[in-house]
Amino acid sequence: DSGVTQTPKHLITATGQRVTLRCSPRSGDLSVYWYQQSLDQGLQFLIQYYNGEERAKGNILERFSAQQFPDLHSELNLSSLELGDSALYFCASSVSDRTNYGYTFGSGTRLTVV
Amino acid sequence: QQPVQSPQAVILREGEDAVINCSSSKALYSVHWYRQKHGEAPVFLMILLKGGEQKGHDKISASFNEKKQQSSLYLTASQLSYSGTYFCGTNNNDMRFGAGTRLTVKP
């Protein structure tokens, strides 16, 4: 157990639907990062939050949104889902908002859009 | 903005050495290295924060050449457990990862 909790582990949904992925960071970590990993691909950075505020945005589609709540957990909302959105979505946390500390990854949510 | 890793894949026998390279077109402030086993989450290996810094634990070490905007990961006397995909991550605020290097260690 890395200390970063992601739920659900698996999600199967139809095209056009909306889903919410949840992440609880490791205790004491203030930064949360979301990454998308398609089959046998690299990690694509989506978005970063630090202590409730958005800090950086990557290749995140307009159909996707995220937020970090006062208790520091984060949610990634994916809407109008397309087949190409099928991927493993990782959440990572870090104590800092800079990249001078290592990231701890959760076990991921595997999203399948049918 | 994404760092470039090479090689894309490497196959070793137990006990052999490997080097994985990571280069960036932008100035590097920090370099992270992670290993991901199939179907699992990436696991943090080490971070290099200063140019010229070298780090290592066990038989895995890394170097960071700030001038050349490059980092290299060295795996010596590889073990079966080293198999996986290695990612380097670079940048200042948000981490951008390379495409990964798939390392396979065979008996």
Side-chain angles (χ1 to χ4, degrees):
Chain A
D1 182 9
S2 67
V4 177
T5 304
Q6 286 189 249
T7 57
K9 290 197 183 310
H10 302 276
L11 202 48
I12 301 175
T13 189
T15 53
Q17 294 298 305
R18 171 190 169 96
V19 297
T20 298
L21 312 184
R22 182 188 169 104
C23 168
S24 293
R26 195 180 59 162
S27 178
D29 286 355
L30 299 177
S31 264
V32 169
Y33 308 82
W34 287 97
Y35 288 87
Q36 180 192 55
Q37 186 174 42
S38 300
L39 192 62
D40 291 332
Q41 297 294 309
L43 295 155
Q44 297 299 316
F45 171 68
L46 296 178
I47 198 164
Q48 177 204 0
Y49 282 86
Y50 176 78
N51 205 20
E53 293 185 4
E54 181 184 306
R55 280 301 174 95
K57 241 177 179 177
N59 306 321
I60 188 166
L61 301 172
E62 283 192 13
R63 301 183 283 109
F64 295 1
S65 65
Q67 55 183 324
Q68 186 180 29
F69 295 86
D71 67 353
L72 301 178
H73 91 271
S74 177
E75 292 181 357
L76 179 66
N77 300 297
L78 314 176
S79 61
S80 302
L81 285 167
E82 302 175 358
L83 296 178
D85 297 327
S86 295
L88 199 49
Y89 290 84
F90 284 110
C91 162
S93 73
S94 173
V95 65
S96 167
D97 61 335
R98 311 282 286 189
T99 57
N100 50 344
Y101 290 90
Y103 291 10
T104 302
F105 281 81
S107 56
T109 293
R110 184 172 295 281
L111 174 67
T112 303
V113 182
V114 297
Chain B
Q1 293 187 359
Q2 190 176 0
V4 176
Q5 284 186 237
S6 62
Q8 288 184 312
V10 59
I11 299 175
L12 300 173
R13 292 284 180 192
E14 262 187 303
E16 291 182 338
D17 302 340
V19 179
I20 299 172
N21 298 304
C22 174
S23 63
S24 173
S25 59
K26 292 178 65 174
L28 295 179
Y29 300 96
S30 68
V31 179
H32 291 212
W33 286 97
Y34 294 80
R35 177 172 62 208
Q36 183 180 30
K37 293 188 180 283
H38 185 68
E40 299 180 8
V43 173
F44 174 70
L45 293 177
M46 64 188 78
I47 181 173
L48 300 104
L49 295 175
K50 301 175 190 175
E53 185 176 25
Q54 292 193 349
K55 274 194 175 176
H57 58 84
D58 199 9
K59 295 185 174 67
I60 300 176
S61 62
S63 64
F64 179 14
N65 188 321
E66 193 177 358
K67 243 182 180 178
K68 292 185 178 179
Q69 296 170 185
Q70 289 176 352
S71 177
S72 294
L73 186 72
Y74 307 93
L75 301 102
T76 58
S78 57
Q79 307 167 17
L80 294 176
S81 62
Y82 287 2
S83 291
T85 300
Y86 290 78
F87 293 98
C88 71
T90 64
N91 214 337
N92 194 14
N93 288 336
D94 56 272
M95 185 76 65
R96 304 298 170 118
F97 287 94
T101 296
R102 181 170 295 187
L103 179 78
T104 304
V105 181
K106 295 188 173 182

